[in-house]
Amino acid sequence: QVQLVESGGGLVQAGGSLRLSCAASGHTFSSYGMAWFRQAPGKEREFVATITWSGIATYYADFVKGRFTISRDNAKNTVYLQMNSLKPEDTAVYYCAASPLRLGTRTLKESELPYWGQGTQVTVSS
C-alpha cells in the first residue's frame, strides 16, 4: 500500500511556473505507475499526466502538452509535475495517484488508480 502527500501548490500569475511534488510512502513505490489529475471548481476531476514505473514513458492530456512535465525520482519516492506557462484555466486542486498495476501511456480513468493524495491547490491569476 502507498500513501501519497502532495505539495508545491500556491498562487501564481498567468505565465508563471510551479513545481508540484508527490511524496510516497512504501518501499514498493518504484514499481508503481503514477499520475496527476486535477479538479477545477464545479467540474469533474480530469486526467493531466502519467508516468510509468521506470520513468521512461509519459503521456499528457492535450491541454497541458508542451507546458507540463511529469517526472519521478524513485530513490526519493517522489513524483513531480513541472508546470510552465500557467493559465487561469489551470486553476484547480491537483492530485497525484498511484497504481501497482502496469498503466498504459494514455488518458487514464480515476478508477484505474486505487491510491490518491489529498490534493494541493493551484491558483493562477490573470
Side-chain angles (χ1 to χ4, degrees), residues 24 26 36 38 47 85 95:
W36 287 95
R38 70 184 188 185
F47 168 82
S85 302
Y95 299 88

Side-chain angles (χ1 to χ4, degrees), residues 27-120:
H27 63 281
T28 56
F29 170 79
S30 60
S31 66
Y32 279 58
M34 302 294 297
W36 287 95
F37 284 71
R38 70 184 188 185
Q39 186 168 21
K43 295 187 177 181
E44 294 186 350
R45 192 151 52 182
E46 62 183 355
F47 168 82
V48 175
T50 186
I51 188 166
T52 56
W53 67 272
S54 64
I56 292 177
T58 59
Y59 185 82
Y60 299 90
D62 285 344
F63 53 79
V64 302
K65 281 181 182 177
R67 300 190 298 125
F68 292 10
T69 302
I70 188 171
S71 62
R72 66 190 296 162
D73 184 338
N74 287 341
K76 296 182 178 180
N77 280 13
T78 302
V79 64
Y80 303 98
L81 186 68
Q82 178 67 44
M83 306 186 295
N84 299 328
S85 302
L86 283 161
K87 305 175 181 180
E89 52 264 44
D90 294 318
T91 294
V93 178
Y94 283 72
Y95 299 88
C96 71
S99 172
L101 303 177
R102 184 182 299 272
L103 298 175
T105 48
R106 54 177 171 77
T107 299
L108 300 175
K109 299 177 183 179
E110 291 183 59
S111 58
E112 297 181 83
L113 297 111
Y115 304 112
W116 291 80
Q118 293 301 305
T120 185

